[in-house]
Amino acid sequence: MQKSYKLTCVYFVLTCLMLFVAARSQLTEDFYVKTCPNLFNIVRKEVRNAIKFEMRMAASLLRLHFHDCFVNGCDASILLDGNDGEKFAAPNLNSARGYEIVDTIKNAVESACSGIVSCADILAIAARDSVLLSGGPLWKVLLGRRDGLVSNQTGANISLPSPFETLEAIIAKFIAVGLNTTDVVALSGAHTIGLSRCAFFSNRLSNFSGTGAPDSTLDSTLISELQSACPVNSDGNNTVPLDRNSRDLFDNHYFSNLLNGRGILHSDQTLFSSDAAVSTTRSLVQLYSNNSALFFNDFINSMIKMGNISPVTGLNGQIRKNCRVVNP
C-alpha cells in the first residue's frame, strides 16, 4: 500500500512537471512580466538610439529576425560567430548587419535582468520596434523563445529566399517553414524601408537573363538612375533605397512601386509582373497598394506567424549570456 502511494506521488509530480514544461513551451505576451518587467522599455530605447544614429538600422534589425527564423527556426542562430555559421552564408555575407546593435541591447537587458531574456526574443522585439519607430504598426510580440546551440550555414544557403529566384521558388521556401502566399507578399512589404546593394539587382540593368537588354519589367525611367548608382565596373557594394519615394517610412508605397515597374529587386517585381503572379500574388499587391490598413493587418499576422517558426522552448536550448557564443 505504501509502495503504491509513493508511486502515485511520483507520477503526480512528473505529470505536474510535464504540464509546467508544456505550459512554458508556449509563446506568450507576458512571458517576462515578472522576471524582467522593464524589458520592452530597455529594448525600445536602444533601438531608438540606433535608428537615430542610422535610420537604415531599422530595416537591418527587421531583416535579422527574418533571416534567423527561416533557418533552424527563431533561435538566434544567425547571431553565433564562427566561419561555418549563418553569418557567412551567401545570403548574409556582407549583407546582414546590426549585430553590434543586438550586442548593445543584450548588454542593457543583462544589466537589468541577467540570464533571463533570450537573444531570440530580443531579435523579435527589436524587429517589432524597428517597424513601429519607422511609422509602421504596433503588435504584441509573443515571447518565451530560448536560444539554439548550432548555427547552420548550409541551411541558410538553402532555405533563405534569394533576390534572384523565381516566384515559384520563393513561395516554396515560405511553404517549407509553414508560411503561405499571403505571408510572402505581406512580409515582402518590409522592403518599404532599407537599402539594397547593387550586387542584388545589377543583373537587371543590362543583358538580363541573356536577352541583351535590361529586365523588361523594370521601369525604363528608373534604369538610367540605377545604372548611374551601380557602374558596371563597381564592386557591387553601392546601395540604393528599396523604396525610393519613402525610403525610411514604413508604409504601403512599396506595392505602388511594383504596379509601376519600380521594384528594385527581381524578387520584388516578380510579385506583380511574372506569369506566376497572375494566379498567386498579383491581386494582393494591388489590394495592399490601395489599402494600407489591410497591409498593416496582414503584415502583423505574418510577423507573428514567422516568429512562431520552430521556436526553441521549455528546457531546450539556453539563454545565452553573449548572443555571439554558446554558454560554456
Side-chain angles (χ1 to χ4, degrees):
M1 184 74 176
Q2 186 176 7
K3 183 177 180 180
S4 176
Y5 174 76
K6 288 182 177 178
L7 285 173
T8 301
C9 290
V10 171
Y11 290 145
F12 176 77
V13 171
L14 287 175
T15 301
C16 289
L17 178 60
M18 291 173 65
L19 289 172
F20 173 77
V21 171
R24 298 302 283 175
S25 295
Q26 303 302 312
L27 303 184
T28 63
E29 297 173 4
D30 59 352
F31 192 84
Y32 298 108
V33 68
K34 293 182 179 178
T35 56
C36 195
N38 203 35
L39 173 62
F40 291 116
N41 291 332
I42 295 170
V43 176
R44 187 165 301 173
K45 175 185 176 182
E46 297 302 335
V47 172
R48 181 179 286 111
N49 289 341
I51 292 175
K52 281 183 178 179
F53 183 77
E54 182 192 10
M55 195 64 198
R56 181 188 178 191
M57 191 54 65
S60 298
L61 292 172
L62 176 57
R63 189 163 180 259
L64 273 183
H65 182 45
F66 180 98
H67 279 219
D68 178 46
C69 290
F70 265 67
V71 185
N72 292 357
C74 306
D75 66 345
S77 55
I78 193 173
L79 302 178
L80 288 170
D81 284 339
N83 292 335
D84 58 346
E86 294 165 35
K87 287 181 178 180
F88 292 91
N92 295 324
L93 184 63
N94 298 321
S95 176
R97 57 198 299 276
Y99 301 113
E100 71 286 352
I101 303 303
V102 177
D103 292 338
T104 300
I105 299 171
K106 177 63 171 175
N107 290 337
V109 171
E110 284 293 309
S111 294
C113 32
S114 180
I116 299 296
V117 182
S118 68
C119 301
D121 278 345
I122 285 174
L123 279 181
I125 300 169
R128 186 273 308 272
D129 287 352
S130 293
V131 171
L132 177 67
L133 294 172
S134 300
L138 172 68
W139 66 94
K140 293 183 178 180
V141 181
L142 298 180
L143 302 169
R145 303 168 190 81
R146 289 168 65 84
D147 298 321
L149 307 178
V150 178
S151 190
N152 185 354
Q153 185 172 127
T154 300
N157 282 323
I158 294 173
S159 302
L160 287 169
S162 162
F164 308 107
E165 287 181 316
T166 64
L167 178 57
E168 295 93 331
I170 293 170
I171 291 175
K173 288 186 174 182
F174 273 69
I175 290 174
V177 294
L179 302 177
N180 59 31
T181 303
T182 297
D183 301 317
V184 172
V185 184
L187 292 175
S188 294
H191 285 170
T192 184
I193 56 174
L195 309 176
S196 172
R197 290 169 59 224
C198 292
F200 289 139
F201 62 85
S202 57
N203 65 312
R204 303 182 69 200
L205 305 182
S206 63
N207 195 28
F208 180 66
S209 297
T211 61
D215 185 347
S216 61
T217 66
L218 186 60
D219 175 49
S220 58
T221 61
L222 182 59
I223 292 174
S224 59
E225 295 178 40
L226 295 178
Q227 288 173 335
S228 296
C230 307
V232 175
N233 59 351
S234 68
D235 61 6
N237 288 323
N238 292 354
T239 58
V240 302
L242 286 164
D243 181 352
R244 297 173 71 80
N245 285 20
S246 57
R247 55 179 287 174
D248 297 324
L249 178 63
F250 196 98
D251 58 15
N252 66 333
H253 192 266
Y254 160 87
F255 298 102
S256 299
N257 286 339
L258 302 188
L259 266 60
N260 295 309
R262 298 180 70 83
I264 300 299
L265 303 179
H266 171 70
S267 56
D268 288 332
Q269 193 59 50
T270 194
L271 297 174
F272 181 78
S273 299
S274 66
D275 291 339
V278 175
S279 60
T280 55
T281 57
R282 181 178 293 178
S283 60
L284 271 176
V285 171
Q286 292 170 322
L287 283 172
Y288 292 160
S289 70
N290 291 315
N291 191 332
S292 61
L294 177 63
F295 164 50
F296 280 8
N297 182 72
D298 285 357
F299 181 81
I300 288 172
N301 291 335
S302 294
M303 285 295 292
I304 292 172
K305 283 178 64 179
M306 187 183 76
N308 272 290
I309 298 175
S310 303
V312 179
T313 58
L315 300 179
N316 298 313
Q318 62 181 209
I319 305 298
R320 284 187 227 138
K321 297 285 289 184
N322 179 340
C323 292
R324 294 175 179 264
V325 296
V326 173
N327 296 342

